[in-house]
Amino acid sequence: MKVSDIMSPNAICISDGASLKDAHHLMQTRNVRHLPVISETDGTLVGVLTHKKMIASVLSMLNKYGQGALDRKERYTPINTVMDKEFQHLAADEPLTVVVEYFIENKLGCLPVVDADKKVLGIVTSSDFIKLCRTLLQQQG
């Protein structure tokens, strides 16, 4: 099996010009925990924002500035100051046997899937592996 067999195509992405408030809203309304961040200029993958990182940033602002200033601080915090710029990504044809080991060893929640031009094709999450596990278990018995 390959990455393309389990990835979620049409990943919900966010622009590197967006704010933390935009990301927070997008995660809430689209019910996602991982956002590939793409460049406004060429559409390539430039970062990843996880729900954990977003929540940590919001809590830090809340503790530092208080509830009254939180909305304004979120609105004026560029996503590119919060996102992970050091990240791994996958190709659609990578074998799952390699990818699952990488997930386990690095305790990752997601990996974006990109083409040769670093355009996002989809995303593989730990939930995708759980769904695969369920399918394989159902086939066994």
Side-chain angles (χ1 to χ4, degrees):
M1 292 186 85
K2 296 181 177 168
V3 165
S4 58
D5 295 323
I6 71 162
M7 75 179 193
S8 300
N10 307 315
I12 308 295
C13 298
I14 193 163
S15 160
D16 63 349
S19 71
L20 185 59
K21 182 75 172 178
D22 297 328
H24 195 166
H25 179 75
L26 191 57
M27 284 183 179
Q28 283 182 320
T29 59
R30 300 302 295 268
N31 198 29
V32 295
R33 295 181 301 132
H34 310 97
L35 290 173
V37 182
I38 56 173
S39 167
E40 277 191 2
T41 55
D42 63 8
T44 58
L45 180 67
V46 295
V48 175
L49 182 65
T50 64
H51 187 256
K52 184 177 180 180
K53 183 88 171 201
M54 190 264 309
I55 291 296
S57 298
V58 169
L59 287 176
S60 175
M61 288 177 190
L62 184 60
N63 289 333
K64 190 172 184 178
Y65 303 107
Q67 181 67 41
L70 180 61
D71 187 65
R72 184 172 40 77
K73 287 292 181 183
E74 264 193 291
R75 192 169 284 129
Y76 292 106
T77 300
I79 197 167
N80 62 12
T81 63
V82 180
M83 70 183 189
D84 290 321
K85 295 175 182 137
E86 304 270 330
F87 58 91
Q88 297 294 319
H89 54 79
L90 302 170
D93 62 353
E94 288 190 62
L96 286 181
T97 51
V98 174
V99 175
V100 73
E101 289 302 322
Y102 191 80
F103 261 76
I104 292 168
E105 289 171 15
N106 295 285
K107 298 181 181 178
L108 296 173
C110 77
L111 284 170
V113 182
V114 297
D115 64 15
D117 297 322
K118 290 189 77 178
K119 305 279 186 187
V120 176
L121 299 173
I123 192 166
V124 173
T125 67
S126 53
S127 294
D128 294 320
F129 278 104
I130 297 295
K131 290 173 189 170
L132 173 61
C133 185
R134 178 186 61 199
T135 301
L136 295 174
L137 288 170
Q138 287 171 341
Q139 289 172 358
Q140 282 187 343

